[in-house]
Amino acid sequence: MPLVNMKDMLTHAWENGYAVGGFDLVGLEFLDGIMRAAEGERSPVILSLAESHFEYYDFELAMAASVAAAERSSVPVAIHLDHGASLESAIEAIRLGCNGVMVDASHHPFDENVAATRAVVEMAHGCGVPVEGELGYVAGVEGEDAERHPGEVVYTHPEEAERFVAETGVDFLAVSIGTVHGRMRGTPRLDFDRLAAINERVQRPLVIHGGTGLEDAQFRRLIENGVAKINYYTALADAAAERIRANRREGAGYTALLEGVREAVAEETARCMRLFGSAGQADAVLASAEPWRPVEHVIIYNVEGLDEAGVHEMMRHGREVLGRIPGVRRVITGEAVQEQARYRFAWLVEFVHPAVIKSYRDHPGHTAFADNHFRPVAGDRISIDYRVVE
Ligand code: 13P
């Protein structure tokens, strides 16, 4: 499964002078096009799902497709929540399979941004998941995404960036140095001196939002100054829309209109991968990055002092409270098929990463359930954490 730890992926990019694209997808054509490009270019890739786009697709369904695409891919993939709006959405994204999350509190004053970001970092790090924060504000100018990023650009201040990283513990920092969400109007002017000063102080992978419309030489200078992730969307959406317009003819149906959209998305994505220098880096990333594999927390047990209805109620309650704990992907409760089985019942709790073994054990939701509802009736039990092996 070439889902890999996103922190390892971006550290490799940062140390080796290239950037990985965080390509926002808004449908299956995008997902397919982005993955075709990554396979064709032998490039690591970040499948990016922006909360600001959730009105256009079902996040849970898109995550299932993204996880499936990553599982069958031969190049390293990370799945990232872009522009996460709250702690709750970060928890949900991790539950559904994101192994990187962004918390976007950049429109709030510094202290509020720090508090909101730190809360996500504490939760996500307990799940082994790295976090991207944003300081400064990347506004929108033109194009379908611009209205989702209203207001004026606020540039990132280098000293504040250093303080922000120290106080929040973010793994990657999105900075504002003159890029905008959506299309550019005129020639983009980027403040590279500011970026160099931020890079000097922050010393970790930097992220650029608003990749659309930058010139080739600008991408190179961004990367030279510490940018290891470039978010890219509008140009993909424009290439897809242009293709649909070209397909328009009397009586054209839905599939006829979509013809060639995947290829158009793939072409623009592949161009970015060559430009960002990530093309050809897949094998090096696979060799250096932790494979992102779940852990199965298995308990088999017998019950004393509860009738069958009581056991089923205890299981239902457990599925509900344990399923909400950050880093838990799913909770399955089981009953032995064979009447004579040494152990009658089972829990199968899937954690997104080994880090969850500890954070789950210490979580108040788990300790309350275990101490009050489970352990008193299930003295006869075995529990083991299994790392998935491939
Ligand atoms: P563009 O749409 O300008 O490429 O920006 C994408 C982005 O930054 C998503 O977070």
Side-chain angles (χ1 to χ4, degrees), residues 24 82-83 145 180-182 209-212 231-234:
D24 282 320
D82 191 21
H83 292 290
D145 231 19
V180 295
H181 281 283
H209 284 245
T212 294
N231 283 21
Y232 205 81
Y233 169 67
T234 301

Side-chain angles (χ1 to χ4, degrees), residues 309-376:
V311 174
H312 285 186
E313 172 52 23
M314 183 264 289
M315 287 174 161
R316 188 205 58 74
H317 181 51
R319 286 194 302 271
E320 190 180 305
V321 296
L322 303 176
R324 283 203 297 264
I325 295 174
V328 171
R329 283 214 68 181
R330 58 187 184 145
V331 181
I332 293 174
T333 44
E335 200 164 356
V337 175
Q338 289 86 4
E339 289 270 321
Q340 308 312 321
R342 167 70 184 86
Y343 292 98
R344 293 284 310 134
F345 303 104
W347 295 98
L348 189 69
V349 186
E350 188 174 314
F351 298 155
V352 300
H353 185 270
V356 183
I357 295 170
K358 182 176 184 315
S359 58
Y360 173 87
R361 191 188 59 214
D362 300 341
H363 191 279
H366 170 255
T367 51
F369 176 75
D371 291 346
N372 301 327
H373 299 278
F374 181 63
R375 289 177 185 143

Side-chain angles (χ1 to χ4, degrees), residues 60-246:
E60 190 168 353
L61 295 182
M63 280 302 300
S66 300
V67 170
E71 281 176 353
R72 73 175 192 189
S73 124
S74 71
V75 296
V77 179
I79 307 177
H80 186 65
L81 173 70
D82 191 21
H83 292 290
S86 65
L87 177 62
E88 290 68 34
S89 50
I91 293 171
E92 178 68 355
I94 292 170
R95 184 178 74 76
L96 294 174
C98 282
N99 65 347
V101 291
M102 178 197 186
V103 47
D104 182 1
S106 59
H107 45 293
H108 292 303
F110 184 86
D111 289 341
E112 283 175 40
N113 188 354
V114 166
T117 305
R118 192 167 51 206
V120 172
V121 169
E122 279 168 12
M123 178 282 296
H125 283 184
C127 303
V129 172
V131 177
E132 172 186 333
E134 177 170 332
L135 186 66
Y137 182 66
V138 178
V141 172
E142 190 181 293
E144 65 164 54
D145 231 19
E147 69 210 38
R148 281 182 278 274
H149 303 279
E152 294 294 313
V153 173
V154 179
Y155 285 79
T156 308
H157 200 284
E159 282 107 69
E160 275 191 359
E162 186 176 4
R163 246 180 73 210
F164 183 80
V165 166
E167 290 181 23
T168 60
V170 288
D171 305 276
F172 325 119
L173 183 67
V175 295
S176 176
I177 57 148
T179 59
V180 295
H181 281 283
R183 293 183 208 113
M184 297 283 172
R185 209 176 280 152
T187 310
R189 293 232 310 274
L190 305 185
D191 188 344
F192 287 107
D193 291 340
R194 182 182 296 269
L195 180 64
I198 297 168
N199 187 34
E200 180 73 29
R201 285 171 178 269
V202 165
Q203 288 296 307
R204 67 196 63 202
L206 301 177
V207 180
I208 283 292
H209 284 245
T212 294
L214 300 181
E215 291 165 359
D216 294 5
Q218 289 179 315
F219 283 120
R220 281 192 284 275
R221 279 187 78 184
L222 289 173
I223 294 163
E224 276 164 24
N225 287 291
V227 170
K229 173 173 179 271
I230 298 173
N231 283 21
Y232 205 81
Y233 169 67
T234 301
L236 301 185
D238 285 349
E242 197 179 298
R243 186 71 222 186
I244 290 169
R245 275 192 293 273

